[in-house]
Every structure is written in structure tokens, then in C-alpha cells.
Amino acid sequence: MKPITQCKIGCEGKIVKIRAQEPVKGRLFSLGLARGSRIRVLDHTLAKQTWEIESDETKIALREEEASSIFIEPEKCESQR
């Protein structure tokens, strides 16, 4: 289990925990991100301040604070960078 901010681009896995307080937790749930959701890390900025992920065929941009609160169990990780 690790936060998506420690995953390489192309990494896929299932969300096992979200460690965020309101209002961040509410925003993540409103985007459809919850325990059990499958996600894939698509990209991040050079400074890793913004992360792009995909969940249920939807692309989502997250700030570093939001991305670091999402923990996944990596299942398939291919480095594209």
C-alpha cells in the first residue's frame, strides 16, 4: 500500500484507503474516488504538484494534497517516464 504520489506513471491499482479530512475527502468522493475504486496514474507535472489519474474511464486532475491522501495497492506498474 502506498500513496499515488509515490507511484510511477502507468501504475494501476485499487484504492485501499483515503486519509483526508473534509473538505478534501468530500471532493474525492464527489469525483467517484472511494475505497475499492480502480485507478491508473496517467501523468504529473515536473514539480509533482498536480497529478492526472483515470478512474472508471474518467480523467481526474488532483492537487498534491489530494493525491497524497489516496493509498492504493499497486497491481500493474509500468514506467513510462
Side-chain angles (χ1 to χ4, degrees), residues 3-80:
I4 61 174
T5 53
Q6 292 181 6
C7 294
K8 295 180 179 180
I9 293 172
C11 190
E12 296 179 29
K14 183 169 61 172
I15 296 176
V16 292
K17 184 177 277 194
I18 296 179
R19 291 185 184 161
Q21 300 296 318
E22 293 297 337
V24 173
K25 193 171 196 173
R27 180 175 188 274
L28 296 174
F29 286 143
S30 72
L31 293 170
L33 301 175
R35 191 172 356 157
S37 299
R38 297 196 50 76
I39 65 167
R40 181 166 56 117
V41 178
L42 299 177
D43 205 357
H44 57 71
T45 58
L46 290 176
K48 296 186 177 182
Q49 293 178 339
T50 306
W51 293 79
E52 183 181 11
I53 64 168
E54 182 177 51
S55 178
D56 296 326
E57 298 181 20
T58 302
K59 292 181 181 179
I60 301 168
L62 300 172
R63 295 177 289 247
E64 195 275 334
E65 174 191 8
E66 298 161 336
S68 65
S69 70
I70 301 172
F71 289 76
I72 68 167
E73 193 62 53
E75 297 170 358
K76 182 175 156 185
C77 295
E78 306 166 358
S79 177
Q80 294 179 358

